[in-house]
Each structure stands twice: as C-alpha cells, then as structure tokens.
C-alpha cells in the first residue's frame, strides 16, 4: 500500500519523530510525506532513504496560503491508498482535501491532551472543535497515542467508534545503554524537551537550586529546541537560582540517545503530555526517570520510575534522596536500570508500534 502522510512540519517533536520512525522502518508499505510548512530535523533522514517528500511552505500571508492548493495536484499525482494526517491543522486541511478528491481511507492522528488551556491558541481551539464535528464524516479511523487523549477528545465530540489507540514505540536498537559509562559521585540529571511552558523548565531549574542548597552534588544536562545560552529568559532563571555552573545547555541534539547515555536519571515535570517519548527513550537506555503524572507517564514508567506531584518541591527532594539510596547499592541500581529497559522493550518497542499501524492499515484495505 501507499501511505501518504500530511503533517505540519518535520521539526523536533513527538509526532514528527513517530512519523519518521514509521517511514524509515516500515518495510511492508511505501510512504510519501508532505509538510504544510517546511522541512526540519527529519527532512534529510527521510530523503536519505529515498522517501518522497513535498514541502508546501505555507506561511501567514495571503499569497503563501494559496500554496495549500498544491496539495490537490500532489494527491492526484500520488494516488495514495491511505491518507494519514498528523495534528489538528493537518487533520482539518488533509481531511477536507482528501474528501473532495474522494480519498475514502483517511486516518487522523491526534496527539494532544491539553485542549482547553490558556496555552493553546484560540484559533487552534476552534479547529479542534470543528474537527470534532467533522470526525463523523471524514476519517475512517482516529489514532490516539494515549488513553487520556482519546477520552478527552471523545468527550468533546470526536466519534468514539472510530478511535484506535497506538502507543508510541522506541527503537531499542538505537536507544540502548552506555556500557562504558564511568561511576561518579556527581549525580547526572537531565531533561530532553523543547523550551515551552508545557515542559516547565522554570520548576526544573528551581528544583536544581533546591538540590544545591541541600548540598547534593550534580550536573544537569538540558537538551531541546531553544535550550541555548541565547535564550536569555532561561539563562536569567538559571542565574537567579544559582546553578549556572551546574546546568549545561545543549540545544537541539541530532543523536539524542547520546544525551541519555550521559545521565543517571531523567526528569520530566511537564504540565501536559499525551505520550512522553522521552521517558520511554531514557528507560530504553537504562536511565530511571522522575516524572509528573501527565498523559501515559505512569504506564510508561510502570514499577520502575518515580511519579511526583506537579507542584511541590519537597517530594522531588525526597525522591532524589530515595534514588541516591538505591544508587548506593550497586546490585539494586543495576537491577532497576535493567528492568527499565526490559519494561520498554516488552511494552513500547518500535516493532510493536509498527505491527499496530500495519494492522490498522490492512483492516482499512479489506
């Protein structure tokens, strides 16, 4: 089958990563990718594997918006068996164009949970509500990457009978432990995530300040889009909390698995998540995780991670002390790390995700 993917961009994000993994690793189907905006982090990776890629380069001015009609000629040329759209704008635009062109097999991919918060643009909220109405008429199936995302969207009108849950999958061959990592008395903490209100770097940096005041020796590695020294808001926050020498800003990193391999623990204190990929990736590298309980965090961590309240700092300090106690026992620490990877391999592997997507696509072709 030919699967045509429409997505906003190929920048560094969870949906983009899953799309790229599907296209690069699925051997049973051919894949074509089209972006509403431009390329991004995964553009060259897809092209290196000879995957057809179109970029509409739509911007906010009226003339640029006319480029959206190129999608009609592209879809006519490619004649996909299935049109799979990713994220709200692509779900709406791809869904409408696909229906006009009589593409009968359209799959939406929904990956958000926080749809009523002040952090979401009003225009996007309107699109979400409009898609809820259109969900009765346009998509054959609606894929969710988390149970909470499914429940929230069904609550506002997304058609329940079309729901299909597929958890994200981690390439455990790519994300694997660093067997050569040296032992150190300095606790190496990290967080992978773009600079965003949702990710709550403010709380994380304040937590680092508390650790320092509690005389815990550590280094903190932060990686992601706009996690750079030129981000003066972030830099001022780091200085204010007195951890300038403890926090290392890495920016966007091509091989993100190399960041995980530096760490002893990964911390994610997001306000909102659907399926936080970074937890599964870190655990696949045998890195235990602390996380707020957003989205599927509890399910990803299982019995091998630490869920903390999304507000207080005292629980975070207690959790770090608990981890340090486990880490002081070589056998207990090794067992915890091994179980982290085993849990991800058994429940959230890329192989398992590919099987689920192929199962869905085949069911639509019958």
């Amino acid at each position: 089958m030919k699967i045509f993917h429409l997505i906003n961009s190929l920048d560094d994000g969870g949906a983009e990563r899953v799309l790229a993994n599907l296209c690069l690793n699925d051997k049973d189907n051919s894949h074509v990718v089209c972006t509403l905006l431009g390329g991004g982090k995964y553009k060259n990776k897809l092209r290196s594997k000879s995957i057809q890629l179109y970029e509409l380069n739509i911007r906010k001015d009226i003339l640029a918006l006319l480029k959206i009609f190129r999608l009609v000629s592209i879809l006519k040329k490619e004649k996909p068996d299935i049109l799979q759209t990713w994220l709200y704008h692509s779900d709406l635009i791809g869904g409408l164009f696909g229906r006009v062109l009589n593409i009968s097999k359209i799959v939406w991919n929904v990956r958000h949970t926080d749809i009523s918060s002040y952090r979401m643009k009003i225009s996007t909220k309107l699109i979400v509500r409009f898609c809820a109405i259109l969900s009765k008429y346009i998509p054959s199936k609606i894929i969710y990457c988390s149970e909470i995302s499914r429940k929230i969207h069904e609550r506002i009108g997304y058609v329940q009978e079309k729901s299909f849950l597929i958890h994200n999958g981690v390439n455990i061959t790519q994300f694997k432990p660093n067997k050569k990592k040296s032992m150190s008395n300095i606790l190496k903490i990290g967080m992978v995530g773009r600079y965003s209100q949702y990710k709550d770097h403010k709380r994380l940096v304040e937590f680092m300040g508390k650790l320092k005041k509690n005389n815990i020796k550590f280094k903190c590695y932060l990686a992601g889009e706009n996690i750079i020294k030129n981000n003066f808001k972030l830099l001022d926050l780091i200085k204010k909390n007195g951890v300038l020498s403890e926090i290392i800003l890495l920016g966007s990193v091509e091989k993100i698995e190399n960041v995980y391999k530096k760490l002893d623990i990964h911390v994610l204190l997001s306000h909102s998540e659907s399926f936080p990929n970074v937890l599964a990736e870190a655990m696949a590298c045998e890195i235990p995780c602390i996380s707020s309980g957003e989205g599927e965090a509890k399910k990803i961590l299982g019995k091998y991670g630490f869920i903390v309240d999304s507000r207080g700092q005292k629980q975070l300090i207690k959790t770090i002390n608990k981890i340090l106690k486990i880490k002081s026992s070589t056998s207990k620490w090794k067992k915890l790390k091994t179980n982290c990877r085993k849990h991800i391999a058994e429940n959230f592997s890329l192989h398992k995700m590919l099987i689920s997507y192929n199962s869905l696509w085949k069911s639509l072709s019958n």
Side-chain angles (χ1 to χ4, degrees):
M1 284 187 290
K2 180 186 283 188
I3 317 296
F4 187 102
H5 301 271
L6 181 68
I7 193 166
N8 301 354
S9 76
L10 291 171
D11 288 329
D12 193 3
E16 295 82 356
R17 196 176 318 171
V18 172
L19 183 152
N21 277 333
L22 273 177
C23 295
L24 294 170
N25 294 280
D26 176 34
K27 308 302 180 186
D28 297 328
N29 306 282
S30 63
H31 294 269
V32 178
V33 178
C34 180
T35 65
L36 294 179
L37 304 177
K41 178 177 178 178
Y42 297 101
K43 174 180 175 178
N44 291 334
K45 287 185 178 181
L46 292 172
R47 284 195 166 151
S48 70
K49 297 296 182 179
S50 300
I51 292 169
Q52 180 64 58
L53 175 62
Y54 297 94
E55 299 171 70
L56 298 181
N57 291 310
I58 298 167
R59 298 300 168 191
K60 291 184 178 180
D61 58 279
I62 298 298
L63 290 176
L65 283 173
L66 295 176
K67 292 181 180 179
I68 200 169
F69 291 98
R70 276 189 61 214
L71 184 59
V72 174
S73 61
I74 292 169
L75 286 170
K76 283 183 177 179
K77 174 187 173 185
E78 293 294 342
K79 297 181 175 63
D81 297 295
I82 293 173
L83 170 58
Q84 181 159 304
T85 60
W86 299 71
L87 308 174
Y88 300 125
H89 292 78
S90 293
D91 289 344
L92 175 61
I93 294 167
L96 290 173
F97 277 88
R99 186 57 69 213
V100 167
L101 293 171
N102 291 317
I103 297 173
S104 61
K105 309 301 181 185
I106 298 173
V107 179
W108 284 356
N109 215 306
V110 176
R111 313 186 67 80
H112 284 79
T113 56
D114 194 3
I115 60 175
S116 59
S117 138
Y118 68 91
R119 299 180 187 92
M120 179 178 278
K121 293 179 181 178
I122 292 175
S123 59
T124 304
K125 288 181 182 179
L126 291 173
I127 289 173
V128 174
R129 300 289 170 169
F130 190 37
C131 282
I133 297 169
L134 293 178
S135 69
K136 184 177 180 180
Y137 308 101
I138 289 179
S140 304
K141 288 289 183 181
I142 305 170
I143 297 174
Y144 300 95
C145 63
S146 72
E147 192 65 38
I148 187 170
S149 179
R150 180 187 67 78
K151 289 178 179 177
I152 287 171
H153 287 82
E154 287 178 357
R155 200 178 298 148
I156 64 165
Y158 277 67
V159 177
Q160 182 177 351
E161 291 73 24
K162 296 181 179 182
S163 296
F164 200 88
L165 178 65
I166 303 180
H167 288 131
N168 296 348
V170 176
N171 187 338
I172 59 172
T173 302
Q174 176 188 358
F175 293 94
K176 55 188 177 182
N178 180 6
K179 297 300 183 182
K180 296 180 180 179
K181 187 163 67 174
S182 59
M183 297 298 289
S184 171
N185 291 328
I186 297 176
L187 187 65
K188 294 178 180 177
I189 303 168
M191 173 179 159
V192 174
R194 71 188 186 282
Y195 186 73
S196 160
Q197 286 180 317
Y198 287 106
K199 300 300 180 184
D200 203 352
H201 285 85
K202 180 176 184 293
R203 184 180 172 219
L204 180 72
V205 172
E206 288 172 352
F207 173 44
M208 295 301 110
K210 294 284 185 183
L211 285 185
K212 188 171 182 178
K213 287 179 181 177
N214 278 264
N215 297 315
I216 295 173
K217 293 182 179 180
F218 69 92
K219 286 288 181 183
C220 179
Y221 299 86
L222 302 182
E225 185 181 348
N226 207 23
I227 306 296
I228 53 176
K229 290 182 179 178
N230 286 344
N231 181 340
F232 298 114
K233 191 173 181 179
L234 176 59
L235 194 63
D236 287 346
L237 181 65
I238 292 169
K239 290 177 179 177
K240 181 181 176 182
N241 285 274
V243 285
L244 189 60
S245 60
E246 284 79 16
I247 293 182
I248 299 144
L249 305 180
L250 300 172
S252 295
V253 177
E254 183 69 22
K255 293 186 176 181
I256 202 64
E257 61 271 24
N258 292 336
V259 176
Y260 295 125
K261 289 177 182 180
K262 294 176 184 286
L263 309 179
D264 294 310
I265 56 172
H266 183 277
V267 180
L268 183 69
L269 303 177
S270 301
H271 291 304
S272 175
E273 291 284 352
S274 185
F275 186 100
N277 290 313
V278 294
L279 297 180
E281 291 170 353
M283 290 177 72
C285 295
E286 293 192 352
I287 307 303
C289 296
I290 299 173
S291 178
S292 56
E294 297 294 321
E296 298 283 43
K298 291 181 182 178
K299 192 172 287 186
I300 295 169
L301 297 187
K303 299 183 292 184
Y304 311 110
F306 307 86
I307 296 292
V308 295
D309 184 85
S310 61
R311 294 173 297 275
Q313 297 282 7
K314 288 184 179 178
Q315 189 186 8
L316 278 166
I317 298 295
K318 286 181 180 179
T319 303
I320 286 291
N321 285 325
K322 184 177 181 180
I323 289 170
L324 288 172
K325 188 174 181 180
I326 297 170
K327 192 171 181 290
S328 66
S329 167
T330 303
S331 60
K332 288 181 180 179
W333 186 241
K334 184 178 179 181
K335 184 178 179 180
L336 175 60
K337 289 164 69 68
T338 302
N339 282 334
C340 283
R341 180 171 171 80
K342 183 180 178 184
H343 175 65
I344 297 303
E346 290 177 351
N347 297 282
F348 303 107
S349 69
L350 174 59
H351 178 67
K352 190 170 183 177
M353 183 183 79
L354 285 170
I355 290 172
S356 295
Y357 270 96
N358 270 290
S359 174
L360 173 61
W361 294 330
K362 285 177 183 176
S363 72
L364 294 176
S365 65
N366 294 334

